[in-house]
């Protein structure tokens, strides 16, 4: 004998049964669909970023150009949140996988946009050493407590102090990309 479970307490189900679907219900459905699509996209990205894929697609790229492209791709969100964003970098030849770097920086910059709040500043800078490159993403938001700094890189972990929704996968993807292809990731409150 097979058991089935049916949970029917969603707002849209009740509204449908009552023949009373409103624009708010449609808006909620669209938001939930977009959120689910984003989660699926993040999981697919996580599975595409394997050490084998990185090694096969590495080439010399300009790290500043990658950062400029990611900033450009996210600029509309920056404007909507009344934020400012800056990049302080010179051309940096870097041997890496362009796709994974775009995903990595996109997740970091989207996190800064999403969680720093309105009217904040986001600053991206690079420091080049003899054999290292450091990319720093900072924002003027409330920050992450010391207790949560290590946890934010865990899959599906979300800091409870924010009202923003998300999957909790973005920073774990960043950590995964760094771990399989580069070497070091550090988060700290300033």
């Amino acid at each position: 004998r097979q058991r089935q479970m049916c949970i029917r307490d969603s707002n849209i189900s009740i509204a449908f049964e009552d023949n009373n679907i409103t624009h708010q219900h449609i808006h909620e459905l669209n938001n939930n669909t977009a959120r689910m699509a984003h989660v699926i996209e993040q999981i697919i990205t996580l599975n595409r970023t394997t050490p084998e894929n990185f090694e096969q697609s590495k080439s010399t790229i300009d790290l500043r150009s990658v950062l400029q492209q990611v900033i450009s791709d996210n600029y509309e969100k920056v404007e909507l949140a009344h934020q400012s964003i800056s990049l302080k970098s010179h051309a940096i030849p870097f041997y890496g996988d362009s796709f994974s770097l775009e995903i990595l920086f996109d997740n970091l910059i989207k996190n800064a946009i999403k969680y720093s709040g309105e009217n904040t500043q986001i600053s991206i800078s690079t420091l080049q050493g003899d054999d290292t490159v450091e990319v720093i993403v900072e924002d003027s938001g409330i920050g992450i407590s010391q207790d949560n700094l290590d946890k934010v890189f865990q899959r599906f972990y979300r800091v409870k102090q924010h009202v923003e929704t998300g999957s909790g996968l973005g920073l774990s993807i960043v950590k995964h990309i760094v771990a399989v292809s580069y070497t070091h990731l550090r988060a700290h409150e300033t």
Side-chain angles (χ1 to χ4, degrees):
R1 182 173 155 205
Q2 202 174 20
R3 294 182 181 196
Q4 292 182 339
M5 181 189 301
C6 182
I7 300 174
R8 299 193 49 149
D9 64 352
S10 72
N11 292 341
I12 194 115
S13 295
I14 294 167
F16 180 77
E17 286 176 2
D18 294 342
N19 202 20
N20 191 23
I21 295 178
T22 66
H23 287 288
Q24 178 61 31
H25 291 110
I26 301 299
H27 180 69
E28 182 181 326
L29 181 63
N30 284 338
N31 285 344
N32 289 337
T33 303
R35 193 170 23 259
M36 187 56 66
H38 180 69
V39 169
I40 292 167
E41 196 175 289
Q42 295 279 43
I43 291 170
I44 290 169
T45 298
L46 199 53
N47 286 322
R48 280 161 104 199
T49 52
T50 63
E52 298 80 27
N53 289 344
F54 287 120
E55 290 307 314
Q56 291 173 0
S57 54
K58 281 185 174 179
S59 63
T60 301
I61 56 174
D62 178 12
L63 199 55
R64 180 182 62 182
S65 293
V66 172
L67 289 165
Q68 287 171 329
Q69 183 61 52
V70 172
I71 290 169
S72 175
D73 291 346
N74 286 286
Y75 198 75
E76 185 177 332
K77 290 180 179 122
V78 171
E79 283 189 323
L80 287 172
H82 307 288
Q83 297 167 325
S84 65
I85 190 164
S86 64
L87 172 62
K88 183 179 178 186
S89 180
H90 57 280
I92 299 175
F94 187 81
Y95 187 70
D97 172 46
S98 182
F99 171 78
S100 67
L101 289 170
E102 287 173 14
I103 296 296
L104 186 151
F105 296 132
D106 186 62
N107 275 301
L108 288 174
I109 291 170
K110 278 184 175 157
N111 255 35
I113 294 167
K114 190 173 191 177
Y115 296 110
S116 65
E118 288 197 0
N119 302 308
T120 54
Q121 291 81 42
I122 300 166
S123 169
I124 298 121
S125 57
T126 58
L127 297 173
Q128 187 171 14
D130 291 336
D131 60 351
T132 62
V133 175
E134 188 172 349
V135 178
I136 302 154
V137 179
E138 300 174 295
D139 64 64
S140 61
I142 62 170
I144 302 169
S145 71
Q146 197 67 39
D147 294 342
N148 287 316
L149 280 179
D150 289 333
K151 297 175 188 172
V152 296
F153 295 107
Q154 296 172 6
R155 288 183 186 173
F156 303 108
Y157 183 81
R158 297 200 9 90
V159 175
K160 304 287 189 252
Q161 69 195 37
H162 295 287
V163 296
E164 295 291 336
T165 58
S167 64
L169 284 173
L171 291 179
S172 67
I173 290 172
V174 167
K175 181 180 180 182
H176 174 73
I177 291 171
V178 169
V180 298
S181 62
Y182 305 104
T183 55
H184 186 70
L185 176 66
R186 181 181 62 186
H188 59 89
E189 190 172 18
T190 56

